[in-house]
Amino acid sequence: MITIQQLRFFNAVMKFGSLSQAAAAVNRTQPAVSSGIKTLEDMLDLTLFERTGGKLVPTAEAHFLLERSEDLINRLDVTEELLTTVRKGTVGDLRIACLPSAAQFLMPRILANYIAERPDVKISFMARTSPTTHELIASQQYDLGLAEPRRDLAGESYFIEEYKLPGFLAINANIKLANQKTITPQDLDGMPFVGLYGDHYTTKQIKNTVEQYGGKFFQRVDLQTAISSLLFVERNIGYSFVDSLTKSSYELINSSQKNIVFYPFTLEHGVRVAMLVPKFRLRSALADSLKVVVREAIVSMGGVAVADAF
């Protein structure tokens, strides 16, 4: 079987017309190049060079082979270069699905910074509900997902890396309560709540916390996304509860806003977010490097790893 090394020796001899110069060009000894050419001729059962007066004169067959070997080696060089960039995570396509609270601005900011130094990376980014994001990752259609935790499929079809996030009460800045240094559950007695639907685990925790201290919980508006609740808080429709990802997204969109005050507020079971990676989709260095970037972003917003299944 003809080897790439033999073709490289052959091309070098054709280019320089000298064994010594060809050997220097391919960083091999002259005997090694001479032996490689002889082996190639024997394998092809062709004479590629006439040895005349100490010189190598290419035959017609040599010129015929050169046209094809140059194209082959060029393709190989391009392929090796491409594989090197793939290995370094600087080229390729990525598909990401993300829960709405981080999809409007936070995750796009992370992705924009990520690909700014990777001009050969293409990204397909979708905002999806957490259940849909889990389904997309479980079906192996996407490279990475960010969603609320759901463990019924994890381990079978995808890996999950879960984080506990800081929680915040969002209060309209123009009400008396916003002048306090801290907010207690008693302060929320009877106040209208604007947040995720009543069966959501964070809303249940807010309700239980208020009622545990003898207060009345009243949900005036229930929503599908936490970040939209902050628009109601701006108009003083009620207070809300959000995690640090939602808070950061809102602050990025409204960097000069002064209508909302955020107070740290701890719930009994906390708030969690999960990074998801498909188990059977072909993993790449590019996808692994993005995972690291997203993990660092979550940690920078106070996220603490709960379980690591990667």
Side-chain angles (χ1 to χ4, degrees):
M1 180 182 295
I2 297 174
T3 67
I4 293 297
Q5 185 179 65
Q6 290 169 345
L7 292 179
R8 290 190 186 279
F9 289 173
F10 167 74
N11 282 12
V13 173
M14 289 292 290
K15 179 178 180 180
F16 296 103
S18 163
L19 282 174
S20 59
Q21 290 182 335
V26 296
N27 196 29
R28 293 291 188 273
T29 64
Q30 183 172 328
V33 173
S34 178
S35 175
I37 295 297
K38 182 62 171 62
T39 302
L40 180 60
E41 289 180 318
D42 291 342
M43 293 182 66
L44 295 174
D45 195 21
L46 291 172
T47 299
L48 299 175
F49 299 96
E50 297 287 350
R51 280 75 173 173
T52 305
K55 294 183 179 180
L56 295 178
V57 180
T59 63
E61 291 79 6
H63 288 287
F64 177 82
L65 176 61
L66 180 63
E67 293 180 9
R68 286 149 183 80
S69 64
E70 283 184 329
D71 180 64
L72 178 62
I73 290 176
N74 286 338
R75 287 174 180 268
L76 178 63
D77 289 341
V78 170
T79 301
E80 288 180 343
E81 182 178 351
L82 178 60
L83 291 175
T84 297
T85 58
V86 168
R87 185 171 60 252
K88 292 180 179 179
T90 57
V91 65
D93 297 347
L94 289 171
R95 303 186 74 190
I96 301 105
C98 178
L99 74 171
S101 61
Q104 288 184 302
F105 207 81
L106 179 61
M107 183 60 80
R109 170 68 67 87
I110 293 171
L111 295 176
N113 291 337
Y114 177 75
I115 67 174
E117 298 178 354
R118 297 172 173 83
D120 295 318
V121 172
K122 292 175 58 181
I123 282 182
S124 174
F125 175 69
M126 300 291 178
R128 293 291 184 266
T129 63
S130 287
T132 300
T133 297
H134 280 267
E135 291 172 2
L136 289 172
I137 298 298
S139 66
Q140 315 301 304
Q141 295 181 46
Y142 280 68
D143 296 289
L144 186 144
L146 196 65
E148 292 180 343
R150 172 187 167 187
R151 291 189 170 274
D152 53 325
L153 294 177
E156 295 183 4
S157 54
Y158 60 89
F159 301 108
I160 180 169
E161 187 170 310
E162 193 172 320
Y163 292 86
K164 186 174 182 180
L165 299 172
F168 298 87
L169 289 176
I171 306 292
N172 185 280
N174 297 312
I175 66 174
K176 184 177 180 180
L177 191 62
N179 295 322
Q180 298 183 185
K181 292 183 177 180
T182 60
I183 302 293
T184 67
Q186 293 91 329
D187 294 322
L188 304 178
D189 179 22
M191 284 187 64
F193 175 73
V194 178
L196 294 169
Y197 50 91
D199 287 336
H200 192 272
Y201 77 99
T202 55
T203 300
K204 287 182 177 180
Q205 288 187 84
I206 289 289
K207 180 177 184 295
N208 292 339
T209 299
V210 173
E211 293 178 347
Q212 180 181 348
Y213 286 87
K216 178 183 178 181
F217 177 80
F218 166 52
Q219 183 161 6
R220 185 175 180 187
V221 181
D222 63 80
L223 303 160
Q224 291 296 313
T225 61
I227 195 166
S228 57
S229 69
L230 299 177
L231 299 176
F232 292 85
V233 177
E234 287 182 352
R235 297 299 302 273
N236 197 23
I237 305 299
Y239 73 95
S240 185
F241 176 86
V242 298
D243 59 37
S244 57
L245 266 66
T246 304
K247 174 177 176 288
S248 297
S249 293
Y250 178 79
E251 290 173 339
L252 285 171
I253 300 170
N254 305 275
S255 57
S256 60
Q257 77 84 23
K258 298 181 180 179
N259 296 321
I260 296 179
V261 179
F262 291 97
Y263 288 89
F265 196 81
T266 302
L267 298 178
E268 181 180 0
H269 300 292
V271 188
R272 300 189 180 192
V273 69
M275 184 163 56
L276 318 173
V277 171
K279 190 172 184 178
F280 303 110
R281 184 177 175 87
L282 184 63
R283 298 272 291 273
S284 66
L286 186 64
D288 286 342
S289 67
L290 177 61
K291 182 185 71 177
V292 173
V293 170
V294 174
R295 179 190 296 127
E296 290 175 348
I298 294 173
V299 172
S300 72
M301 287 176 278
V304 177
V306 175
D308 190 349
F310 287 144

